[in-house]
Amino acid sequence: MAENFHHISVLPEETIRGLITDPDGVYIDATLGGAGHSRRIADRLSENGRLIGIDQDDAAIEAARERLLRHPAAPRVDIVRANFSELSHVLSELGVERVQGVLFDLGVSSHQLDTAERGFSYMQDAPLDMRMDRRAKLSAYEVVNTYVEDELIRIFYKYGEERWSKRIAEFIAAAREKAPIETTGELVDIISRAVPKGARQKGGHPAKRVFQAVRIEVNDELGILDASFRQAVDALMPGGRIAVITFHSLEDRQAKETLKELAQGCTCPKDIPVCICGKKPEVKLLGKAIKPTPEEIEANPRAKSAKLRIAEKLP
């Protein structure tokens, strides 16, 4: 299974260098995937260090378990199938109070995109699914076939920043009146007919933004970020770090805004001579967002839009 799970970790050296401050610490990879980042974390741990890997995807859990079981640090590795929004609960179940670092590598994995039957890709025909956790009830099929037209317009525009949201939703509504939309191929065909010819000739694949929007809706990808980042910061010991890798502007905006708010101190009006709000900064931001080098992008084109943000917990 592990051999079939292909995913190239983005910004690997920059991430590990920014995340690990104490090899004796406890570290969380909140998006375990194929264990690319986790193996690098494990490489840096001492015999006292500990790694906790979390993922909601059963295929990722199986592949990561195979890969990490062969690592010398395997006895000090815990692998948990859960959504990272349950981070606090996972730590409580493991009896862990504080950690030295938490990593979030957001978005869809290469394995999920490349496995046709998962239904994430607009480049391969497959059943409409897009569930990162295949135990979940909501799938792309339900979104595409049961959401009212206005709701489709909303998610296409909000999560996909799709300028043709209204027209695409109208075409989907008309198509599903005749028969349910069953596959990614059918959806791609409807989107391609809805987007005017001139718009199809620029800006990449016409289905890219809608597929992103549906995937985000199915997995509530943006809705869980703020609370999850705050849980991670709460779990950090002073000097511990949170590292967040994003792949599109919506994720990055959420990461940037949450970390910026956590780094902000007093919010009292400037004309008040003494602070009465009592707000203290919880973290300090460590520089600006880090982007992949041209060499990394050439080796892994999917890294092109990636950004890494790191913050450190204050005393």
Side-chain angles (χ1 to χ4, degrees):
M1 171 63 202
E3 287 70 24
N4 298 327
F5 196 105
H6 176 71
H7 180 71
I8 302 174
S9 297
V10 170
L11 293 159
E13 299 307 319
E14 296 89 339
T15 300
I16 303 307
R17 188 166 58 245
L19 180 70
I20 297 189
T21 56
D22 179 4
D24 291 338
V26 179
Y27 292 86
I28 301 172
D29 185 345
T31 45
L32 183 58
H37 283 117
S38 277
R39 282 189 294 181
R40 288 180 172 86
I41 294 171
D43 288 342
R44 296 281 298 274
L45 295 181
S46 72
E47 60 184 18
N48 298 315
R50 184 178 179 184
L51 171 64
I52 300 168
I54 300 172
D55 207 294
Q56 61 183 330
D57 189 323
D58 57 319
I61 288 287
E62 186 178 344
R65 183 170 280 122
E66 286 184 35
R67 289 169 177 168
L68 290 171
L69 278 176
R70 298 194 289 262
H71 195 281
R76 302 185 306 282
V77 175
D78 295 285
I79 296 176
V80 182
R81 187 179 182 189
N83 187 295
F84 59 64
S85 65
E86 304 169 279
L87 190 148
S88 296
H89 176 71
V90 169
L91 292 181
S92 176
E93 289 290 301
L94 293 173
V96 176
E97 292 185 6
R98 289 286 177 266
V99 302
Q100 196 68 34
V102 184
L103 168 64
F104 294 88
D105 181 4
L106 303 177
V108 64
S109 72
S110 297
H111 177 78
Q112 289 166 334
L113 283 172
D114 295 338
T115 305
E117 61 265 28
R118 300 297 296 270
F120 285 100
S121 175
Y122 46 80
M123 302 299 291
Q124 305 178 82
D125 192 24
L128 278 171
D129 192 337
M130 301 194 198
R131 291 172 299 165
M132 291 180 177
D133 185 343
R134 286 184 276 196
R135 299 170 299 184
K137 293 181 180 179
L138 183 65
S139 73
Y141 178 90
E142 279 74 37
V143 172
V144 170
N145 286 287
T146 68
Y147 277 32
V148 296
E149 195 173 319
D150 284 348
E151 191 66 3
L152 289 178
I153 294 169
R154 183 189 70 81
I155 68 167
F156 295 165
Y157 188 78
K158 182 178 180 181
Y159 299 150
E161 300 176 299
E162 172 58 67
R163 64 175 298 201
W164 299 104
S165 297
K166 188 172 187 299
R167 185 173 165 87
I168 293 169
E170 288 172 352
F171 273 60
I172 288 173
R176 69 191 187 188
E177 280 187 9
K178 300 172 185 175
I181 301 166
E182 304 271 0
T183 69
T184 55
E186 292 173 48
L187 182 58
V188 168
D189 180 62
I190 293 166
I191 296 168
S192 297
R193 286 188 283 108
V195 176
K197 183 178 179 181
R200 290 200 305 270
Q201 294 173 341
K202 54 185 178 181
H205 197 287
K208 179 179 180 180
R209 289 176 291 276
V210 169
F211 269 62
Q212 173 182 297
V214 174
R215 190 198 83 218
I216 289 172
E217 174 68 16
V218 167
N219 298 288
D220 192 24
E221 291 177 42
L222 296 177
I224 62 176
L225 292 185
D226 180 77
S228 299
F229 296 155
R230 292 175 188 275
Q231 287 182 61
V233 169
D234 285 345
L236 289 175
M237 61 179 60
R241 293 180 177 181
I242 176 174
V244 183
I245 301 172
T246 62
F247 288 87
H248 59 74
S249 61
L250 298 173
E251 289 174 342
D252 186 58
R253 189 179 308 144
Q254 185 71 72
K256 182 179 180 180
E257 289 178 356
T258 301
L259 293 178
K260 183 179 178 181
E261 183 181 335
L262 290 169
Q264 185 179 9
C266 173
T267 57
C268 293
K270 292 182 180 180
D271 58 350
I272 295 180
V274 179
C275 173
I276 58 172
C277 72
K279 187 177 186 304
K280 304 285 187 184
E282 296 182 53
V283 301
K284 67 175 179 180
L285 307 179
L286 301 183
K288 297 182 178 180
I290 300 169
K291 299 178 182 180
T293 62
E295 292 76 18
E296 181 176 359
I297 294 171
E298 184 177 356
N300 179 19
R302 286 177 178 167
K304 184 178 180 181
S305 61
K307 290 182 180 180
L308 167 65
R309 296 184 183 275
I310 302 173
E312 183 174 289
K313 182 74 171 282
L314 293 171

